[in-house]
Amino acid sequence: MRQFDTELKELRDGIMAMAGVAEEMLELTIQALAEPSQAKADQVNHLDRRMDEWELRLDQQCIDLLALRNPAASDLRRIASSLKIIPELERIGDHCCNIARRVGMVHPPILAGNDLERLGTETRSMVRRAVDAFVGNDAALAHAVILSDDSVDALYGKIYRDLLRIMLADPLCIERASHLILVIKNWERIADEATNIAEEVLFILEGHSAKHPYLHGDSVE
């Protein structure tokens, strides 16, 4: 195997490891909210340091590959997209920390049903599938992740409206509802990060940007 191929594999493996930490943080965040568990919330915050360390390490690997190996064509796209995927993963960790910091502020529950847990699990699924698309070079899966963002946005909107109604009906719930609005906003942003990763996967595989399809003459549904 060429040295350059070995270095590309090391970069890919590093991104997979970083994504694994992100998925662990997502799972702990969901559990911390549901139980609730301050211990699991603290674990989320502890793992964020590892995410930051991975970001710095992988950024440097990408810069070294670009500077020293002069990659072309598909290899160049993979490295350029990796430089975008890495900070997306790091921001997922940051959003998990933002949610974890509010674990003690949103209980006892004021939302009926399981919409809040659904939002977390659907968002986690988007991240997992976006990473799987990257690892498996799966364009169809990347497209599916992008389409999933609409259902997450719809669920976010429903919970947001429910929280507004709760605040109007009972002023004593305003503080908890306000923290919950910040929680669901962070979940929604994580879904956006997963969508961005999926778009970078499509760029690697297809050679053109999947962002802003209306600028390419495509219809937006």
Side-chain angles (χ1 to χ4, degrees):
M1 182 182 289
R2 293 182 307 157
Q3 179 64 26
F4 181 49
D5 292 333
T6 300
E7 291 168 351
L8 281 176
K9 183 179 182 300
E10 289 173 354
L11 173 62
R12 176 178 172 274
D13 290 347
I15 292 174
M16 288 168 58
M18 186 179 185
V21 179
E23 289 189 32
E24 184 179 358
M25 293 177 76
L26 286 162
E27 181 61 32
L28 284 167
T29 302
I30 292 169
Q31 293 175 7
L33 278 174
E35 293 181 12
S37 170
Q38 187 57 50
K40 289 183 177 179
D42 291 341
Q43 283 182 266
V44 172
N45 289 312
H46 177 73
L47 286 170
D48 190 51
R49 178 183 177 87
R50 197 183 305 172
M51 291 292 281
D52 292 342
E53 290 171 348
W54 271 118
E55 182 185 26
L56 294 178
R57 187 186 313 172
L58 294 173
D59 273 351
Q60 189 60 53
Q61 282 184 243
C62 289
I63 292 168
D64 289 345
L65 285 170
L66 290 171
L68 302 175
R69 298 301 183 188
N70 193 27
S74 62
D75 290 335
L76 178 59
R77 290 201 304 272
R78 183 167 292 276
I79 297 168
S81 288
S82 294
L83 275 169
K84 296 181 180 180
I85 290 171
I86 292 161
E88 300 288 358
L89 290 170
E90 192 275 335
R91 281 191 287 270
I92 288 171
D94 287 345
H95 290 306
C96 286
C97 290
N98 289 340
I99 296 170
R101 280 194 285 269
R102 290 175 172 81
V103 163
M105 305 171 188
V106 297
H107 288 273
I110 57 175
L111 280 168
N114 65 344
D115 282 347
L116 184 63
E117 186 173 356
R118 273 184 56 214
L119 183 63
T121 55
E122 288 188 21
T123 300
R124 178 190 59 192
S125 174
M126 284 184 66
V127 173
R128 182 170 296 165
R129 288 182 293 137
V131 172
D132 287 346
F134 173 77
V135 173
N137 294 320
D138 191 332
L141 185 55
H143 279 293
V145 171
I146 294 168
L147 292 175
S148 296
D149 192 46
D150 289 341
S151 63
V152 168
D153 286 345
L155 185 54
Y156 163 79
K158 178 185 181 299
I159 299 172
Y160 183 84
R161 291 188 295 273
D162 288 343
L163 289 170
L164 289 181
R165 283 192 288 270
I166 289 169
M167 286 191 284
L168 288 171
D170 185 358
L172 293 177
C173 292
I174 288 176
E175 183 175 359
R176 271 176 292 165
S178 297
H179 286 296
L180 278 170
I181 286 174
L182 293 173
V183 166
I184 64 172
K185 184 59 183 175
N186 277 279
W187 281 131
E188 188 269 340
R189 289 296 300 130
I190 292 171
D192 288 344
E193 312 293 358
T195 299
N196 292 342
I197 292 171
E199 289 173 343
E200 291 305 322
V201 171
L202 291 178
F203 177 69
I204 292 170
L205 299 177
E206 298 177 353
H208 59 82
S209 175
K211 298 178 183 293
H212 313 308
Y214 73 95
L215 294 177
H216 304 287
D218 298 331
S219 62
V220 178
E221 299 180 1

